[in-house]
Amino acid sequence: MSRQPTIIKVRRGINGFKYSACDKDGYFIRNFEKLSDVRRHWSLEIKWGQVVLIRELDKMPDVSKIEAAKAAVKSILMAYAKKRGR
């Protein structure tokens, strides 16, 4: 049974970094300073054929999942703070 390799898209960085690694759908994973750092991070998986890097340096990462998670955590913490303030 042959497994499809994971696709990592390298896009323009956010928060002052030059590059961002994203999943196949373009959602943000992690920031990097150099392209060689991206390759080094997944070097074994690339060697084994489990990861394929694709450069999309003209695009920005999709951070909508991160923003949704931040909003959810904030609402949970606010509810907890109100409960404790009784």
Side-chain angles (χ1 to χ4, degrees), residues 5-40:
T6 302
I7 295 174
I8 303 293
K9 295 182 178 183
V10 181
R11 294 185 171 183
R12 282 190 288 175
I14 56 175
N15 299 332
F17 287 87
K18 284 186 138 186
Y19 305 101
S20 291
C22 304
D23 67 3
K24 65 180 172 114
D25 298 321
Y27 293 111
F28 175 80
I29 297 174
R30 182 177 168 185
N31 281 317
F32 291 93
E33 283 295 330
K34 298 186 283 188
L35 285 173
S36 62
D37 294 340
V38 178
R39 186 173 260 312
R40 190 178 315 122

Side-chain angles (χ1 to χ4, degrees), residues 51-86:
V51 169
V52 174
L53 297 179
I54 297 175
R55 291 183 192 173
E56 291 185 343
L57 302 178
D58 58 331
K59 296 182 181 178
M60 294 292 290
D62 186 354
V63 292
S64 61
K65 283 186 178 180
I66 294 171
E67 296 304 321
K70 284 181 184 178
V73 168
K74 183 178 179 180
S75 65
I76 290 168
L77 291 175
M78 293 297 286
Y80 182 73
K82 285 180 184 177
K83 185 178 179 182
R84 291 210 24 130
R86 283 197 253 172

